Amino acid sequence: MYKILANTQFLGKDVVYLTECHSTNEVAWEFIRSNRATHGMVVCAENQTKGRGQRASRWFSEPGKNLTFSVVLRHKTMSASSLFPLSQAVSMGVFEVLREVSEQIFVKWPNDFVHQGMGKVGGMLIENSIVGQQVDYSVVGIGINVNQRDFPFPGATSLQLITGSQFDLGSLLERLLPSIERCCFLLINSETTVIRENYLRHLFRFREMAWFDDGVPFMGRIVDVEADGQLVIEKQNGERCRYSVKTIKFL
């Protein structure tokens, strides 16, 4: 298993390496429940047998080929209304590294990473512990297809398929952690406007006419993402509709 020597202030200073687990998010929550978790703890697995995506979607990853890890964040003062800005901040931290690999990689709402023309490169799942109106802990699960070449389903790709080159997983993770931390500091410093503008600037299909399906296929364009994470699409007739996760499909 690779070592992490990231130049960070808190992220990755405490690392748990696992050969195999059901889900790195589940392991991270076990550490939180047993009071053994530290702020910035990273849980990495060579093989994740029951990885999860948004709304209980499965995440499949070939052992030893990809990055599957979770980050534990302990918040001092963060309201529940900041959950989507947190998602945007971490997304941009991951995106900035992936974009160095290919300029055709974009963030796909709400927090996937796709190559325009080749398919999904990675995704995130953020789970939170909320006490009252305050967020206590967040566990950010991140999966990136790195060196895998064959997938059991259509629509997926990897950094190796995109570039033709093999990547060192440890080196890639060492680049990701400082980038994620830097974007988290933007949120801590209340620079949500910077985060939002950067997110929209690199959002897949932003302001482009494309096909979507909300039960009925239609042409429209993404015009905004609201503070609570709802996607705003303007249809061809000028009507603006708001969608939450799993209520809209990209065709």
Side-chain angles (χ1 to χ4, degrees):
M1 174 62 82
Y2 35 85
K3 284 189 175 182
I4 300 176
L5 301 172
N7 182 22
T8 59
Q9 294 187 37
F10 69 89
L11 203 56
K13 299 305 182 185
D14 189 2
V15 182
V16 177
Y17 300 102
L18 302 169
T19 302
E20 182 175 285
C21 69
H22 287 333
S23 160
T24 56
N25 267 30
E26 289 181 5
V27 174
W29 282 114
E30 289 173 7
F31 274 92
I32 292 170
R33 286 190 290 268
S34 61
N35 295 315
R36 293 180 293 153
T38 57
H39 180 51
M41 172 185 277
V42 175
V43 180
C44 306
E46 288 190 30
N47 184 27
Q48 190 174 230
T49 59
K50 294 183 180 180
R52 291 174 288 134
Q54 288 286 341
R55 299 288 177 89
S57 299
R58 289 293 305 276
W59 178 269
F60 297 92
S61 180
E62 187 177 340
K65 297 287 187 178
N66 308 307
L67 282 179
T68 50
F69 64 101
S70 295
V71 173
V72 175
L73 300 175
R74 177 74 186 270
H75 306 288
K76 292 181 178 179
T77 56
M78 185 173 129
S79 68
S81 63
S82 297
L83 287 177
F84 192 69
L86 171 64
S87 175
Q88 289 177 310
V90 179
S91 291
M92 293 318 302
V94 175
F95 165 80
E96 287 175 4
V97 174
L98 297 182
R99 193 59 178 266
E100 293 174 2
V101 175
S102 171
E103 292 186 354
Q104 295 304 308
I105 293 178
F106 294 86
V107 179
K108 181 182 176 183
W109 176 87
N111 47 24
D112 281 342
F113 309 99
V114 298
H115 182 279
Q116 191 165 18
M118 293 187 68
K120 184 173 176 176
V121 179
M124 296 185 352
L125 173 66
I126 302 182
E127 299 174 315
N128 306 283
S129 170
I130 300 175
V131 179
Q133 295 299 313
Q134 298 295 308
V135 184
D136 188 17
Y137 279 98
S138 294
V139 173
V140 183
I142 299 171
I144 300 172
N145 299 328
V146 182
N147 293 319
Q148 185 167 339
R149 299 186 61 84
D150 298 308
F151 295 90
F153 45 83
T157 189
S158 69
L159 300 183
Q160 185 180 98
L161 288 174
I162 292 168
T163 64
S165 301
Q166 188 159 349
F167 290 79
D168 180 85
L169 297 179
S171 297
L172 182 60
L173 186 56
E174 194 171 341
R175 290 164 59 194
L176 284 164
L177 296 183
S179 183
I180 293 169
E181 183 181 85
R182 185 169 57 253
C183 291
C184 283
F185 274 127
L186 289 175
L187 183 62
I188 292 169
N189 294 327
S190 300
E191 297 186 53
T192 53
T193 300
V194 175
I195 295 169
R196 179 180 181 277
E197 289 177 350
N198 201 20
Y199 180 87
L200 291 177
R201 187 179 304 117
H202 301 291
L203 187 64
F204 180 61
R205 288 188 179 175
F206 185 58
R207 297 198 175 279
E208 295 179 6
M209 291 301 295
W211 282 98
F212 300 91
D213 188 339
D214 59 3
V216 177
F218 69 91
M219 283 282 286
R221 58 178 185 147
I222 298 170
V223 294
D224 200 5
V225 179
E226 297 188 333
D228 62 358
Q230 288 199 95
L231 186 70
V232 183
I233 298 179
E234 183 178 85
K235 296 186 176 182
Q236 275 186 312
N237 62 5
E239 178 187 7
R240 290 196 173 192
C241 299
R242 290 161 177 79
Y243 299 96
S244 55
V245 176
K246 294 295 185 181
T247 63
I248 184 75
K249 292 181 181 179
F250 288 65
L251 300 180

